[in-house]
Amino acid sequence: MHTVIPHTHDAPAAAPVRSGAVAVVVGTGRSGTAAARLLHHLGASVRIVEKDESRVSAEFASLAARLGFDCRYGSHSAEQFAGADILVPSPGVPVASLLPYLDASRPPEIMAEIDLAARCVTSPVLAVTGTSGKTTTVSLCAAMLRAAGKRVFLGGNIGTPLSEYVLDVAAGEAPADVLVLEVSSFQLQTCTTLRPEVAVLINISANHLDYHADMQEYLDAKFRLFALQGPDDLAVLQSGMEELADRYALAARREFFDAVRRFPRTALLGSHNMANIEAAWLACRAFGVTQSQAAQAVEEFAPLEHRLEKVDEVAGVLFVNDSKSTTVDSMKAALESFDRPVLLLCGGKWKGGDLVSLIPVVRRHAKAVGLFGASREIFEHAWADVVPMSWDHDLQTAFRRMTAMAQPGDVVLMSPATSSYDLYSNYKERGEDFKRNVAAWKAERDD
């Protein structure tokens, strides 16, 4: 028997920002912009710090001028952070890199944008973190809650900063019944007040070791999601994390999930997505969602772009875009999603992980591996004696090499297990490039 989560956020615990406080926001991306706007709304004196002035959009420059932000550009210096009461770092900037510039005798309170905004909300929070599958899982949660007739805000790391929601509600928009938030380790590292009524950790493996000092720091960041939960709250974790839950002394009720096929009518591929669905169901059940409502949501749920996205099937060859795969574990899940031979495209900026552990999976599923971009030596060192491998400077050449080998019944799968920053601005750009190559190859066959 499960317990329905009560609405416990009747009011914010305290004013999130003292009027007139000096708030330094690092970065002018969407998260930084939203934080700056919210801080201004709350009465803070906002200072913007941005290393590269060319990154500042005309829209942001106009906003900064209108609201009177103090903008300071160029390499970081102690002067940029002098007198700061609050520091909101960009999610992509390691906090450790900023510490040398702060006044040790009067350090600012460091808070993630999502933590700042969470201090201003009254709706209950369902928050999801994990190494891979976060976006699919929060999207499933939102779909299940909406199927139950609830008004939902879906945001955080997934795209819309929580600060934008806070500002919209302040402007008169109706508040959500549930706030569904995707939260990254970058954000969690500087969260000190976020307390979700339901917190979900879907999986954890080596990742972002180019950002975090080590795996322990990464683990510590992930488990901050549960740090402020109490016995009336719910923690949903993957089976096998019982010892970790004890080590971090989780105070919330605990539920553990496996990759069961509770909802068989779904377009989502792979056992990892069955786990994502089960995690979402356990989380949403706590808000009163019924199994039939969840089943309806799962059946209607379309796979998200760049996440095991079926692009096309041409002459019996299936093309699948899994550009969002930036970890070894997500590549493993992708390979295991198919019972037909796979021509695997991978490579890019390495973030860490154990490729040797994938040898049995590669032997079982991969017909050949086409590397492109960076990290060639890492993949070749692990798999050179396991599977036929090739390497090319760019995706297009590697794609052509794999399609030349493809036969009816094969899958050409791009699941890079790396970040995209060697050749692309982001994983979406990489995925779109893959899809352009598929379309070009299909058009040539049709001529």
Side-chain angles (χ1 to χ4, degrees), residues 104-129:
S105 66
R106 187 181 173 276
E109 181 180 6
I110 302 174
M111 62 181 80
E113 173 275 326
I114 200 168
D115 198 53
L116 164 69
R119 302 175 191 208
C120 305
V121 302
T122 57
S123 300
V125 172
L126 188 170
V128 177
T129 195

Side-chain angles (χ1 to χ4, degrees), residues 320-357:
V320 178
N321 165 30
D322 195 35
S323 184
K324 187 61 173 67
S325 164
T326 61
T327 67
V328 172
D329 271 20
S330 59
M331 173 194 277
K332 177 177 183 286
L335 285 168
E336 291 177 335
S337 298
F338 301 99
D339 56 5
R340 47 202 283 190
V342 174
L343 294 151
L344 175 64
L345 288 160
C346 56
K349 187 174 184 291
W350 184 247
K351 293 175 18 177
D354 183 7
L355 287 172
V356 173
S357 69

Side-chain angles (χ1 to χ4, degrees), residues 3-9 124-125 195 197 232-233 253 286-287:
T3 304
V4 175
I5 294 293
H7 182 128
T8 55
H9 283 179
V125 172
R195 201 214 85 218
E197 277 76 5
D232 291 333
D233 300 319
R253 293 183 298 109
F287 289 98

Side-chain angles (χ1 to χ4, degrees), residues 183-199:
V183 195
S184 72
S185 62
F186 302 166
Q187 293 167 315
L188 282 167
Q189 205 167 18
T190 49
C191 280
T192 58
T193 64
L194 178 65
R195 201 214 85 218
E197 277 76 5
V198 176

Side-chain angles (χ1 to χ4, degrees), residues 23-139:
V24 176
V25 177
V26 180
T28 59
R30 188 170 182 182
S31 172
T33 300
R37 289 177 57 220
L38 178 56
L39 286 162
H40 179 268
H41 171 77
L42 295 170
S45 173
V46 178
R47 182 186 305 162
I48 303 298
V49 171
E50 172 61 73
K51 270 188 173 182
D52 186 356
E53 191 172 356
S54 67
R55 294 179 185 169
V56 180
S57 68
E59 182 182 10
F60 181 85
S62 174
L63 174 75
R66 179 164 53 84
L67 298 183
F69 296 165
D70 174 11
C71 297
R72 303 186 184 185
Y73 304 120
S75 297
H76 291 330
S77 65
E79 179 273 333
Q80 291 178 330
F81 299 90
D85 299 302
I86 295 165
L87 173 60
V88 181
S90 164
V93 175
V95 174
S97 70
L98 301 177
L99 297 180
Y101 307 106
L102 305 183
D103 183 350
S105 66
R106 187 181 173 276
E109 181 180 6
I110 302 174
M111 62 181 80
E113 173 275 326
I114 200 168
D115 198 53
L116 164 69
R119 302 175 191 208
C120 305
V121 302
T122 57
S123 300
V125 172
L126 188 170
V128 177
T129 195
T131 300
S132 57
K134 295 185 293 296
T135 299
T136 296
T137 304
V138 292
S139 299

Side-chain angles (χ1 to χ4, degrees), residues 23 33 42-43 65-66 86 112 118 122 169 184 186 261 269 275 278 299 327 331 363-364 371 394 421 447:
T33 300
L42 295 170
R66 179 164 53 84
I86 295 165
T122 57
V169 171
S184 72
F186 302 166
R261 200 170 179 85
L269 298 170
E278 185 69 4
E299 183 175 354
T327 67
M331 173 194 277
R363 280 201 176 113
R364 189 162 59 249
L371 301 172
D394 57 80
Y421 300 132
D447 285 345

Side-chain angles (χ1 to χ4, degrees), residues 250-272:
L250 270 59
R253 293 183 298 109
R254 305 172 189 179
E255 293 202 43
F256 297 90
F257 65 90
D258 288 301
V260 299
R261 200 170 179 85
R262 186 185 302 273
F263 304 100
R265 298 176 67 88
T266 177
L268 294 173
L269 298 170
S271 63
H272 65 295

